[in-house]
Amino acid sequence: NRPALSKFLPYVAYDEVSELFVNKSSVGMVFVGAPLLGASEEIEKQFTDLFKSVLPAGANIQFLLLASPRIAPILKTWSDARSNKSELFQKLAKKRRDFLAEQARVKAETEFVTRNISVLISVSLPGANLDPIRVKKLNQLKTKLLTIFADLGMIIREIGAKELIAELYDWLNPTLNLTPTAAQYNPFE
């Protein structure tokens, strides 16, 4: 009898009205998107301001870089955009799509590996209560964070329980399957 993984994770519930996660001893939000590629002095200043001025005292922020082989939706979007072109473009697109798909199925030790690189950002504040004043402040913080990430050039969006479950499932149950997991979420469990 091994303990369930959920005993080691902080999540307790997701409040769909406030779109906030209620954890064992905190409340927070989660974002996902493309990571920054490089950083200038200006970006460093913006991050310094984020840590010094925007995040309240006691706040936690975590950045988790993910490299997933689950690229089927990306390849489909890319390939579909070329499907109404000439027969030559269609053949080239299929060859490239097949090559990239094959490179996603290989082990990471090889020379070239295709992955969907993303960053998962979680922000939490101590205390697990969701009174209306706190929810308003947390939603203001959420808006500020999304603005700062956009100013940094990051393409970031907030995710809810179902998407977080899918991200964590794929991370905790690695396979070389190219199709993302369809997450199951029951707010009453």
Side-chain angles (χ1 to χ4, degrees), residues 98-122:
D98 292 347
F99 171 76
L100 292 171
E102 186 59 35
Q103 293 308 113
R105 290 185 184 97
V106 299
K107 300 265 188 238
E109 297 88 31
T110 61
E111 201 171 297
F112 178 79
V113 179
T114 307
R115 295 289 186 260
N116 177 18
I117 307 296
S118 61
V119 62
L120 198 65
I121 304 169
S122 62

Side-chain angles (χ1 to χ4, degrees), residues 54-98:
V54 176
L55 292 173
N60 289 307
I61 186 167
Q62 297 176 352
F63 296 83
L64 179 63
L65 191 62
L66 303 170
S68 172
R70 299 177 196 284
I71 62 167
I74 297 168
L75 291 180
K76 182 179 179 346
T77 300
W78 182 86
S79 184
D80 287 352
R82 286 143 186 85
S83 65
N84 61 355
K85 307 290 185 207
S86 73
E87 189 176 327
L88 175 64
F89 279 114
Q90 289 176 18
K91 284 182 182 180
L92 289 171
K94 181 182 179 339
K95 281 188 173 238
R96 180 169 286 175
R97 184 191 69 222
D98 292 347

Side-chain angles (χ1 to χ4, degrees), residues 16-155:
E16 294 190 24
V17 175
S18 65
E19 298 180 323
L20 294 167
F21 289 90
V22 179
N23 304 319
K24 292 174 184 168
S25 60
S26 64
V27 175
M29 58 208 77
V30 179
F31 307 97
V32 69
L36 271 176
L37 301 175
S40 64
E41 283 186 35
E42 179 58 32
I43 288 175
E44 288 179 30
K45 287 179 187 174
Q46 286 179 295
F47 267 108
T48 300
D49 185 52
L50 169 71
F51 297 130
K52 285 184 173 181
S53 305
V54 176
L55 292 173
N60 289 307
I61 186 167
Q62 297 176 352
F63 296 83
L64 179 63
L65 191 62
L66 303 170
S68 172
R70 299 177 196 284
I71 62 167
I74 297 168
L75 291 180
K76 182 179 179 346
T77 300
W78 182 86
S79 184
D80 287 352
R82 286 143 186 85
S83 65
N84 61 355
K85 307 290 185 207
S86 73
E87 189 176 327
L88 175 64
F89 279 114
Q90 289 176 18
K91 284 182 182 180
L92 289 171
K94 181 182 179 339
K95 281 188 173 238
R96 180 169 286 175
R97 184 191 69 222
D98 292 347
F99 171 76
L100 292 171
E102 186 59 35
Q103 293 308 113
R105 290 185 184 97
V106 299
K107 300 265 188 238
E109 297 88 31
T110 61
E111 201 171 297
F112 178 79
V113 179
T114 307
R115 295 289 186 260
N116 177 18
I117 307 296
S118 61
V119 62
L120 198 65
I121 304 169
S122 62
V123 179
S124 62
L125 288 111
N129 63 325
L130 278 180
D131 64 76
I133 293 170
R134 187 159 196 236
V135 167
K136 183 178 179 181
K137 287 182 179 181
L138 287 164
N139 282 324
Q140 289 170 343
L141 174 62
K142 191 186 305 183
T143 301
K144 280 184 189 175
L145 290 171
L146 286 168
T147 301
I148 289 169
F149 294 142
D151 290 346
L152 289 167
M154 297 175 78
I155 301 169

